[in-house]
Amino acid sequence: MPELSRRQALTTVAALATAAGVAAPATAAPAATGGHHDPHSPAPFDEVYRGRRIQGRPATGGHAHHGAGYAVHIDGVELHLMRNADGTWISVVSHYDPVPTPRAAARAAVDELQGAALLPFPAN
């Protein structure tokens, strides 16, 4: 059996890594872009809580880059929302009080605002 040179081994490894890298996104793309509902994503909501209209729904823009993928609005103003690694949610208003759902985060923000208006969070 011929001995494999270092160059041949590295070339083979690079080719295998490239092939694996190309195959992974192709198999992941349909799930991400196929329009299927993520079973772990919270359900949309639209309600009046303590006189404030709170709404939540899956998001694709705005602050979705924080991994939340979910938009919450209070009286039409977006509440900056983030999902923690343990599955809890925090907002810019109640940052140190994690809650189990975006609806709970919206309600906690309304409680914390005590009637004050929610100001838009800078997109930067």
Side-chain angles (χ1 to χ4, degrees), residues 2-3 5 9 14-16 27-28 31 44 56 70 87-88 93 97 111:
E3 191 171 318
S5 72
L16 289 173
T27 58
Y70 202 85
T88 59
V93 176
D97 187 21
D111 293 342

Side-chain angles (χ1 to χ4, degrees), residues 25-26 28-36:
T33 61
H36 298 290

Side-chain angles (χ1 to χ4, degrees), residues 18-93:
T18 301
V22 170
T27 58
T33 61
H36 298 290
H37 175 69
D38 178 4
H40 301 291
S41 179
F45 63 91
D46 186 347
E47 68 181 41
V48 175
Y49 176 74
R50 294 192 175 190
R52 310 289 290 269
R53 184 172 185 194
I54 59 173
Q55 300 169 294
R57 65 187 174 281
T60 56
H63 298 294
H65 64 272
H66 288 291
Y70 202 85
V72 169
H73 292 82
I74 298 176
D75 296 332
V77 178
E78 184 177 6
L79 173 67
H80 184 73
L81 194 69
M82 294 174 287
R83 189 166 198 179
N84 294 321
D86 66 357
T88 59
W89 298 80
I90 56 174
S91 75
V92 71
V93 176

